[in-house]
Amino acid sequence: MAAMTDIKPGFHDPVLDSQAVFRAVLDAMARPGRLHRVSHLKDVPAPLAPATAAVCLALVDQDTPLWLAPDMRSQGAETFLRFHCGCPLVDDRSTAAFAIVSGGKLPGLDGFAIGDDAYPETSTTVIVQTEGLATGEGLVLRGPGIEATHRLAVLGLRSGVWREWADNGPLFPCGVDLILVDDQTLAALPRTTTVTEQEA
Amino acid sequence: MADVIDHPSRAAATPPDTRAATGYNFAYLDEQTKRMIRRAILKGVAIPGYQVPFGSREMPLPYGWGTGGIQVTAAVIGPDDTLKVIDQGADDTTNAVNIRSFFAKTAGVATTERTTEASVIQTRHRIPETPLTEDQILVYQVPIPEPLRWLEPREAETRKMHALEEYGAMHVSLYEDIARYGRIIKSYNYPVKVNDRYVMAPSPIPKFDNPKMDRMPALQLFGAGREKRIYAVPPYTKVKSLDFEDHPFTVESWEQSCALCGAGDSYLDEVVTDDKGGKMFVCSDSDYCEQRRDAGHQGDGGDSNYATRNEIPENETSSGDDR
Ligand SMILES: [Zn+2]
C-alpha cells in the first residue's frame, strides 16, 4: 500500500477541469482525428501520459471497470487510478468499460468488449498511448464528424492495427472506440471512422 | 509539502468562487451524475442515432420544461460557454427564460438571444434559421425518443427492431398515409434515418427543419428525461427524412413571406393581431426575424391577404412536452 504522499495530485479544480477535459474528448469524438490539448495534469505516474490520466479523472469512476495493459501497470499508476477514480481494475479486457494500452503493444482489438446489437454502448473505450500525433499528414479518415476527409498521423503503433480497425467498422453498431493520446494531446476515432493508409 | 492532496470527494465539495455564491453544484448536477451523462453522450456520438440509456436525475424544475435537454446541457456546459435557449423558436417564453436563468445562476455562464453568439443552444421544437457552425452544440429537448413507439409500445420489441434494422413496419405505416391521404400527414417529429442506419426521432420540430439536420456542421445532442435516453448526430452526418421514390419528402411552404421582416425562407407562425380576427404570419425564429429587421429588411406588416400554409400540420405539437 502506497503512502498517501506517494499519490500524485489530481485536478486542481475537479469540477471545472473535468468539464474541460470532457469537452475536449467530446469534440475529439465528434470530429475524428482533430487534436485537442488537455494540460490539466502535468505530474502523473509513469507510464501514464498526462492526457490519459486527465481522461480517466474526467470519465472513469466506480461504475466503469478499467483494464490496464501489462506494460501500463505500475504501482504508482494503479494507486493513482484507484484513488482518484475509485474504479475497479479488471484482469479481463473484454469486461472493461475503459482500457489503457500502449500503441507499441496494443493487444488485439477483437479482445475488447464490442457491445451487442441491442446495447452497442456496452463496449470498451480504448485509450491508446502513442509516440506522436499530427494532423495534415498520414492516415486518411472518413466518416461521421468529418466534412470530407481528415489526415492524422499516428506514431508508435505496432503493425496491423489499422487492418484490425478495418474489421471493427463492419461490426457497427458494435465495436470499440479509440482515444489516441500523445503526452498532453488527444484525438479520437469512434467506431464509425474509416481509416485508409498510404493514399496518394 | 507541495503534493498534499484532497480526497476527491472532499475536493469536489469545496466550491470555487463561481459556486460559492450560489450554493449549487456547478450546473446543478453532482459530479458522478455528470460523468455518467458525459459517458452516455460520448457513446451517442460514436453510435449516431442510437438511443443510449442513462440514469436520469430529478431536476428542480417542473415536468414539461425539458429535463432531458437540461441534463445534457448541464453535463456539457462550462464557464466559457454562451448559452441560448429557445422554445418554439422564441427566446422570451417563460420556459426559455427560466432555463436560461437556471444556468446563469448554477453555472455562471453567459447567455444570449443571438444564434451567432451562442456556443450551446438548447431548443424545444425548432432549429434556428441561421445556419449553425462547427463551434456550436445544439441540444434538443425530447419528449418521446423512440420513433417506433407509436407502432410498438414494448421497449424490448423496439430495441430488437433497431438492433435488427427492422424498419419495415415504419415504412408500411407511412405508406398507409399516402394510400389514404395522398401524402404523409406527419408534419412534426418526422422520422429520419441517421448515417444510413438508425431511424431516429428528431423531437417535435416541424419537418420544415429536418433538412437542416443533414450534414449540419454543429454537433447535435438529444436528451429525453422521462424516458432516460440520450442520442446524438455528429457533425457532417447524413440525416435523411424517410420517404418513398414515388412520394419524395417535402417541407411546408407559405405563399407569403414574414409580415415583419419579409423573410421568404423561414418557418412562419400565424399570430392574431386584433380582436376582429386579424392575422398575420411572422417568423417563428424571433432572433432571425429581429436580425433581419435590424439589417433593414421589412415585411408588408400583414396588410395583404394573410398567407396560407400549403400543408396543414396535424395537431400534435402542443402535447409534445418533455418530462
Ligand atoms: Zn421575420
Side-chain angles (χ1 to χ4, degrees), chain B:
Chain B
M1 219 174 94
D3 275 6
V4 172
I5 46 175
D6 288 320
H7 185 274
S9 64
R10 203 188 122 206
T14 308
D17 294 339
T18 48
R19 278 163 284 152
T22 64
Y24 291 100
N25 288 321
F26 182 82
Y28 186 77
L29 295 174
D30 64 87
E31 290 306 293
Q32 191 185 343
T33 299
K34 274 189 265 188
R35 270 195 304 274
M36 178 256 305
I37 295 173
R38 286 167 179 164
R39 291 193 297 260
I41 292 172
L42 292 174
K43 295 290 190 178
V45 171
I47 315 168
Y50 167 75
Q51 302 163 51
V52 186
F54 77 108
S56 181
R57 288 294 187 269
E58 289 300 314
M59 296 297 285
L61 294 168
Y63 285 147
W65 280 24
T67 57
I70 288 169
Q71 287 178 91
V72 170
T73 298
V76 164
I77 206 160
D80 298 335
D81 279 309
T82 301
L83 176 69
K84 171 183 166 81
V85 182
I86 51 171
D87 181 5
Q88 306 269 14
D91 299 80
D92 57 358
T93 64
T94 309
N95 195 20
V97 169
N98 281 327
I99 293 173
R100 231 176 15 247
S101 71
F102 175 76
F103 283 113
K105 192 163 69 174
T106 60
V109 298
T111 61
T112 184
E113 297 191 0
R114 304 267 312 252
T115 298
T116 51
E117 288 174 355
S119 58
V120 176
I121 301 172
Q122 184 173 325
T123 180
R124 176 176 175 270
H125 298 188
R126 277 309 311 278
I127 297 174
E129 306 289 1
T130 307
L132 301 184
T133 70
E134 289 197 355
D135 299 322
Q136 297 176 308
I137 298 176
L138 183 59
V139 178
Y140 295 77
Q141 299 173 204
V142 180
I144 299 169
E146 179 49 73
L148 306 172
R149 186 62 70 229
W150 56 293
L151 296 169
E152 171 55 64
R154 289 167 297 179
E155 166 66 19
E157 286 302 310
T158 52
R159 187 162 286 277
K160 199 158 79 186
M161 290 160 81
H162 285 294
L164 301 172
E165 210 175 344
E166 229 178 60
Y167 296 130
M170 173 66 106
H171 283 95
V172 166
S173 156
L174 293 175
Y175 208 86
E176 279 170 1
D177 273 9
I178 294 172
R180 196 175 306 166
Y181 307 105
R183 63 188 175 84
I184 295 167
I185 57 168
K186 201 167 178 60
S187 58
Y188 289 86
N189 206 1
Y190 189 103
V192 296
K193 198 169 215 184
V194 179
N195 200 32
D196 295 322
R197 176 56 179 85
Y198 281 103
V199 168
M200 185 188 91
S203 84
I205 56 172
K207 66 176 184 171
F208 178 89
D209 285 341
N210 277 24
K212 297 175 186 166
M213 305 180 83
D214 183 38
R215 299 187 56 78
M216 182 190 281
L219 171 62
Q220 302 174 75
L221 303 176
F222 300 77
R226 184 185 48 185
E227 306 230 2
K228 303 178 172 57
R229 295 288 183 275
I230 285 170
Y231 50 104
V233 177
Y236 304 114
T237 298
K238 182 177 173 187
V239 176
K240 188 176 187 321
S241 302
L242 299 184
D243 65 356
F244 301 91
E245 251 175 49
D246 52 345
H247 283 86
F249 175 76
T250 58
V251 298
E252 305 88 331
S253 62
W254 291 262
E255 287 168 5
Q256 254 186 347
S257 46
C258 171
L260 300 177
C261 77
D265 59 354
S266 73
Y267 189 84
L268 300 180
D269 281 339
E270 190 177 15
V271 295
V272 177
T273 54
D274 56 42
D275 54 8
K276 295 193 281 282
K279 292 170 188 167
M280 63 179 187
F281 279 81
V282 299
C283 293
S284 136
D285 183 337
S286 53
D287 172 63
Y288 183 72
C289 198
E290 192 179 320
Q291 299 311 318
R292 281 182 52 85
R293 279 178 279 149
D294 284 353
H297 296 283
Q298 242 185 332
D300 62 12
D303 287 342
S304 57
N305 297 332
Y306 68 82
T308 47
R309 189 158 38 183
N310 290 336
E311 292 184 15
I312 310 301
E314 60 182 316
N315 197 16
E316 72 168 42
T317 175
S318 56
S319 62
D321 282 341
D322 193 355
R323 304 271 310 253

